[in-house]
Amino acid sequence: MTEVLFVLLMTAMACGLLGPFLVLRRLSMTADALSHSVLLGIVLAFFLVRSLDSVLLTLGAALFGLLTVLAVELLSGKGLVKRDDALGLVFPMFFSLGVLLITRFFRNVHLDIEIVLMGDPLFAPFVRLFGLPRSLVEMFLLFLLNLSFVILFYEPLKISTFDPSYAFLLGIPVKRIFYALMILCSFCCVTAFNSVGAILVISFFAAPAAAASLLSRSLWQMILLTLLLGALNCLIGCLIAFRWNVSISGMCSFVGMLSVLLLSLFSRGGILRGMRRRKQQRERFKEELLLLHLYRHRGDREETGFESLFRHVNWSRRETERYIGRLMKMKWVFADPCDKIYQLTEEGRERLLLAMTA
């Protein structure tokens, strides 16, 4: 169990370094396309070497990942189709060709499509290198590669991510950085095939970074939070999967989705806080509207009377009484029992003046 957890953690770390840039560039679905289209590169490379342990499989996958990006950019850049449509055209074609080649020529070879997609981290410890799970060693090396890339090109990555036009004017090679990012994503996808599968790789790219974007105020904070949340998702998902005897990859993906959902609801800029803020704004607007009405029609028994006010503000009697009660508690309005009207206090006039000059 410990080695399986370490493989998951290292995969999450390697993907988490690139995930924030994919999310900020709105390329999460490109990672999905890469994770599927690289299968054709693996199959074609296997035609040449006839070995599942050859490094050419990784190179072939990275090449077809790059070809996928080039094809999508070519179609969308020419204005022939939109980017999402280009993704929907290119990666199903590459993936289906890979599936057809496997089912036609390699039925007896261990190129299992289900394992490629879903993965099974439980098998990772059985293939070892230097006394450690091979997947752990490979993902650690890829983590170092991704870390070096992010550290060395942090400023160009940041500028080209947030403002590509400004980066181009500064002389930053925007296209080269973009393609380098896509190649590293391809490496992550194919390296993780044997351990966690394509579906969990997509989750590792997108879910922690999307959750971190809801909490962070800067890019480096987002990267650190992505690594932290990715590790936390792996730990929780792995423990629950072992406890309930379910798919580890599926549970880790589900926990990642759940973390994004919870943060979307309860974070500083989340849905619930947004609803609460809008409700407070509506209530404050109605309070100020009622103060303005009482000020403009001060002394008018018809406009500000106990029994007629609700008709002139076009509210229900219950709603009008509720807001009048709130204003009276705040000592902004008082009831004149002699004239049977509502009037502003001195504090109410000051509050109205402040609202009108804000």
Side-chain angles (χ1 to χ4, degrees):
M1 176 180 174
T2 304
E3 291 185 339
V4 172
L5 180 59
F6 280 143
V7 170
L8 288 170
L9 288 173
M10 193 51 60
T11 306
M13 297 294 104
C15 296
L17 287 170
L18 306 179
F21 300 102
L22 295 178
V23 170
L24 292 173
R25 291 169 180 251
R26 300 180 180 180
L27 295 175
S28 298
M29 290 309 297
T30 303
D32 182 21
L34 290 175
S35 65
H36 288 77
S37 60
V38 294
L39 178 64
L40 181 57
I42 297 174
V43 175
L44 293 179
F46 186 79
F47 264 112
L48 300 176
V49 297
R50 300 286 174 168
S51 173
L52 293 175
D53 298 325
S54 175
V55 70
L56 289 180
L57 270 65
T58 302
L59 295 177
L63 175 61
F64 267 85
L66 183 59
L67 287 176
T68 300
V69 175
L70 288 172
V72 170
E73 292 296 315
L74 180 63
L75 290 174
S76 59
K78 296 295 183 180
L80 300 176
V81 293
K82 294 182 179 179
R83 182 180 180 83
D84 292 341
D85 299 330
L87 283 172
L89 291 171
V90 173
F91 94 78
M93 180 186 68
F94 285 172
F95 183 68
S96 60
L97 285 175
V99 173
L100 290 174
L101 290 175
I102 290 176
T103 55
R104 179 65 179 85
F105 297 103
F106 304 121
R107 290 183 179 271
N108 298 322
V109 179
H110 184 57
L111 280 173
D112 191 344
I113 299 172
E114 183 178 352
I115 290 297
V116 166
L117 289 177
M118 298 303 299
D120 196 342
L122 291 175
F123 292 116
F126 291 103
V127 182
R128 308 188 75 82
L129 184 66
F130 305 123
L132 296 171
R134 178 178 173 179
S135 298
L136 179 61
V137 176
E138 292 175 343
M139 294 311 302
F140 177 71
L141 294 176
L142 193 57
F143 170 77
L144 294 179
L145 179 62
N146 292 345
L147 182 62
S148 302
F149 175 72
V150 171
I151 292 175
L152 291 175
F153 299 99
Y154 179 77
E155 285 299 324
L157 276 169
K158 181 175 69 173
I159 298 173
S160 61
T161 295
F162 289 104
D163 195 340
S165 300
Y166 179 61
F168 180 77
L169 292 176
L170 291 178
I172 296 174
V174 178
K175 286 292 184 181
R176 292 181 184 179
I177 290 177
F178 171 74
Y179 289 128
L181 180 64
M182 292 297 101
I183 290 174
L184 290 176
C185 290
S186 300
F187 281 142
C188 285
C189 292
V190 68
T191 307
F193 273 170
N194 291 330
S195 54
V196 301
I199 302 300
L200 187 53
V201 171
I202 302 168
S203 177
F204 281 157
F205 275 131
S213 67
L214 299 172
L215 300 174
S216 56
R217 292 179 175 270
S218 63
L219 181 57
W220 68 267
Q221 285 183 354
M222 183 177 177
I223 295 174
L224 293 178
L225 282 173
T226 299
L227 297 177
L228 178 62
L229 291 172
L232 190 62
N233 292 343
C234 286
L235 180 61
I236 296 174
C238 195
L239 292 176
I240 296 176
F242 275 108
R243 177 75 174 179
W244 291 354
N245 193 26
V246 295
S247 168
I248 297 176
S249 297
M251 183 54 68
C252 289
S253 298
F254 176 76
V255 171
M257 180 275 295
L258 191 62
S259 66
V260 176
L261 178 62
L262 291 176
L263 287 174
S264 298
L265 291 174
F266 299 105
S267 65
R268 182 179 57 251
I271 296 175
L272 293 182
R273 287 201 175 187
M275 293 173 60
R276 181 182 178 185
R277 184 169 59 252
R278 287 190 292 272
K279 180 181 178 182
Q280 291 174 344
Q281 290 174 346
R282 287 195 299 268
E283 291 178 346
R284 185 167 61 249
F285 174 76
K286 287 188 175 182
E287 290 171 358
E288 293 172 353
L289 184 65
L290 193 53
L291 289 175
L292 180 61
H293 180 84
L294 294 178
Y295 177 77
R296 293 187 61 183
H297 300 283
R298 54 190 180 277
D300 190 324
R301 294 185 179 182
E302 177 62 25
E303 292 282 350
T304 62
F306 292 169
E307 300 297 327
S308 58
L309 174 62
F310 73 95
R311 290 195 297 269
H312 294 282
V313 295
N314 201 26
W315 297 349
S316 65
R317 181 188 292 270
R318 182 177 179 181
E319 185 179 18
T320 305
E321 291 176 351
R322 180 165 66 89
Y323 278 97
I324 284 291
R326 291 176 58 172
L327 295 176
M328 292 179 69
K329 285 183 180 180
M330 291 184 284
K331 297 182 180 180
W332 291 349
V333 170
F334 72 95
D336 187 345
C338 298
D339 294 331
K340 295 184 179 181
I341 60 174
Y342 296 108
Q343 297 191 52
L344 297 184
T345 64
E346 189 62 33
E347 292 87 348
R349 294 191 186 93
E350 292 177 358
R351 177 66 183 87
L352 179 61
L353 180 62
L354 180 63
M356 294 176 65
T357 56

